[in-house]
Structures are given as structure tokens and as C-alpha cells.
Amino acid sequence: MREITDEVKKVIIGKDEVVDMVFAAILAQGHVLMEDVPGVGKTTLAVAFSKALGLETKRIQFTPDTVASDITGYTAFDRQAQGFTFHSGAAMTNILLADEINRTSGKTQSALLEVMEERACTVDGRTYPLPEPFAVIATQNPTGTVGTAALPVSQLDRFMICISMGYPSLEDEIKIAKNCEKDYENVRMSESVASVIDGEELLNIRKYVKDIFIADEVYDYICRLIRATRGSDYIRLGVSPRGTIALTKLSKAFAFLDDRDYVTPKDVKEAFEKIAPHRIVMSGRASGERISSQMAIKKISNGIKAPGIKKKK
């Protein structure tokens, strides 16, 4: 599967860990939230993945006047057919890039929640299943930017991981500058990224990832990590059971990318530090001691003893 990420890395310079994390989330049937400033390559990343995976992608720019039907679609009367016809929205695709989701209304965000969770759109009482595979790569500007509002925890919980691309290093930015005419125009980018697999193959890989073995001791480790977030003095609201599911799935994806058919505690620990920070609400004590969500999760992962590895027989 390295061929897929290698194709994406042709146009995403110096962000190998981000590319690998997004791919792991896609394999684990999860959605990705990227909190970053404009212009660091979030759209390019989504388009590159859709090309390498042989998938269709659509992009929707969230603004205060974006409405739910822009996502789910709508029905309109067709004079020729003498009946109502469904017109699909942006969600009717394989990879949906939802840009700046914290600029739009709560009602529109709720429509996005539906397609993320149900993988279907409900319009005028009728449900339309989305294409498979399906994944959302959403972006949000840092809270405090003009016109933005913090997303509720219930919405953040629907994303498997929340990551940031960040600015490139000096060396990587020099490479970007040198190749801007060659590799970083959208048209040329699509030409440089080759399709490695197609949607059907991705679905088969997802089935394999789903069946990766987890020992009982590792399941116990997963749940002890999650439960520790609910008893920390630094955390007011811990990780939900949905987070437990996300941790289990992402741990399997990490094992697959490491060419193993079983999950190790190392997979779990690394996945925990990716799925947990955006799912928790920090306490007043954390604020007073300047403890960030990432720091709190790191303390928990370092404080919970990992079991020995038990391979599948």
C-alpha cells in the first residue's frame, strides 16, 4: 500500500506523517478533520488521495449562507416527467472535502453529521445511500478567526482524527517554490498522481483491515486508556464509546500499514494519541496549569501499562 501514499507524496511535500495518518483513517472507515490556516495544501491532499485511490471527489465551501440541501441534495418538480426529481448534493461522492465547516450554521453542520454517520442522505422523507467507499475530509480555520465558531463536541466526536498540516519547513518550502509551475497547479497535479487502485479494491482492503486480530489483553488495554480519560483531573468530559470504536478501528489500520495481521499495544498507543485529544473537554485545573488536550492524553498513554504482545495463533 506504500504505492498509494507515495503517489500522494508527489504533491504533498514534507508532510509524510499527515499523509500516512489520513490514509490510515480512510482504511479504518473514518472521517478526517484538519484544523489549519488556508493555503497549506488541504484541498490538494484530498484531491491527490481521490486520484491515487481511483475515487470521485467533490468540494463544498462552507459559508454562513450554505444550506443543508447543498450537502444532501433536493427534489424539484420536473415538468417533462410530471413528477418530482431528486438532484444530488455535494455528499453524493466518494471523498467529500468540506471546507471551513466552522463558518456555517448549526443546521447545515447537522446535515453533514447525518451523511458522516449514516452514509446516506434523507430528502423529503426518502433516503438515498451514498456511494461506497465514502469519507469526509473536513477543514476548519482556527477558532477565533473572524466568522468562525467552535464546533460542538458532538460534531467533533464524529471525526476519527483531527490533525494539522502546519507550515512546511524551509527546505520543503524551497522545493514547493521550485516546483510550483510543474506540480502544484491543480490540472498538472491530477496528471502527476497515478491511480493505484479503484473503489472496489479499497472496499476489499477495508474488509481485510476489519478482520485484523486483536487479543483480549489488547482490547483490555484499549478500554483502560479510554476509561482513564473519564477519571483524569485535567479532563471534564472524557472520550465517548464512539471513541473506543474509533481507537479499535484505527489500531487495526496501523497494524495493516505495518504489514501485520494483528494489533500490538504500540499500535493502540499511537492511535490513542490521534483519536482522543479532539474528543475531550478540559477542566479548569488544566487551564490553570496550562495543560493542553494533547499533553493530557500523552500523560494518560504514558501512565497506563501496556500488556505483552499476544500474536494470533
Side-chain angles (χ1 to χ4, degrees):
M1 292 297 100
R2 296 299 174 191
E3 297 90 344
I4 295 172
T5 52
D6 286 345
E7 287 297 318
V8 177
K9 290 171 187 176
K10 287 180 180 179
V11 294
I12 303 296
I13 303 297
K15 300 296 177 183
D16 291 2
E17 182 180 1
V18 171
V19 172
D20 292 341
M21 279 303 309
V22 171
F23 186 42
I26 291 174
L27 292 178
Q29 304 179 53
H31 306 294
V32 179
L33 177 62
M34 305 185 72
E35 183 178 51
D36 240 321
V37 296
V40 293
K42 302 183 292 294
T43 302
T44 302
L45 177 68
V47 175
F49 262 113
S50 66
K51 182 69 176 180
L53 296 171
L55 303 176
E56 179 189 14
T57 185
K58 290 182 181 177
R59 177 178 181 269
I60 181 169
Q61 182 73 41
F62 282 80
T63 57
D65 61 350
T66 302
V67 295
S69 60
D70 293 331
I71 300 169
T72 60
Y74 62 93
T75 56
F77 186 77
D78 188 332
R79 291 184 177 181
Q80 291 185 341
Q82 287 298 299
F84 286 90
T85 302
F86 173 67
H87 299 267
S88 62
M92 203 61 70
T93 188
N94 297 122
I95 295 182
L96 173 63
L97 176 61
D99 236 344
E100 299 183 305
I101 61 171
N102 57 340
R103 285 191 181 277
T104 195
S105 68
K107 185 175 182 179
T108 305
Q109 290 176 5
S110 296
L112 180 63
L113 286 182
E114 180 197 356
V115 301
M116 290 170 60
E117 187 72 11
E118 305 297 333
R119 287 175 164 76
C121 298
T122 301
V123 180
D124 293 336
R126 184 172 178 180
T127 300
Y128 301 89
L130 300 182
E132 285 289 349
F134 175 74
V136 171
I137 299 178
T139 72
Q140 66 170 345
N141 287 343
T143 303
T145 304
V146 175
T148 65
L151 296 177
V153 176
S154 60
Q155 183 160 348
L156 291 173
D157 199 33
R158 305 298 175 100
F159 292 96
M160 179 168 283
I161 59 173
C162 178
I163 58 178
S164 173
M165 291 189 71
Y167 290 116
S169 65
L170 175 60
E171 293 77 11
D172 292 330
E173 198 148 13
I174 291 172
K175 292 178 183 178
I176 292 172
K178 287 182 176 180
N179 291 282
C180 65
E181 296 297 332
K182 180 174 64 176
D183 289 329
Y184 291 88
E185 297 174 4
N186 284 337
V187 174
R188 302 206 178 189
M189 186 209 71
S190 64
E191 294 175 353
S192 63
V193 177
S195 296
V196 179
I197 60 174
D198 58 24
E200 184 176 352
E201 290 177 280
L202 177 58
L203 289 174
N204 289 333
I205 294 171
R206 280 181 165 184
K207 290 178 182 178
Y208 179 86
V209 171
K210 183 179 179 181
D211 292 336
I212 284 178
F213 175 75
I214 300 182
D216 288 342
E217 293 87 345
V218 179
Y219 274 120
D220 178 74
Y221 181 48
I222 289 172
C223 294
R224 283 189 291 117
L225 284 171
I226 295 295
R227 293 178 67 84
T229 67
R230 303 166 189 166
S232 170
D233 292 336
Y234 295 120
I235 300 173
R236 180 163 58 87
L237 183 63
V239 177
S240 70
R242 185 183 285 115
T244 307
I245 295 171
L247 176 54
T248 303
K249 290 182 175 181
L250 191 61
S251 298
K252 290 182 177 184
F254 280 4
F256 173 79
L257 292 177
D258 203 30
D259 297 323
R260 281 181 282 103
D261 62 355
Y262 62 94
V263 171
T264 68
K266 179 175 179 290
D267 297 322
V268 174
K269 183 176 181 180
E270 291 179 357
F272 176 67
E273 294 177 4
K274 299 299 182 183
I275 68 98
H278 68 288
R279 285 184 159 88
I280 61 177
V281 177
M282 305 303 289
S283 66
R285 178 180 175 182
S287 178
E289 297 182 20
R290 297 183 179 180
I291 301 294
S292 67
S293 58
Q294 289 81 6
M295 292 168 63
I297 293 302
K298 191 76 173 179
K299 285 177 179 288
I300 290 174
S301 66
N302 290 336
I304 302 296
K305 184 178 179 181
I309 300 175
K310 183 177 180 180
K311 298 183 179 180
K312 182 180 178 180
K313 295 181 180 179

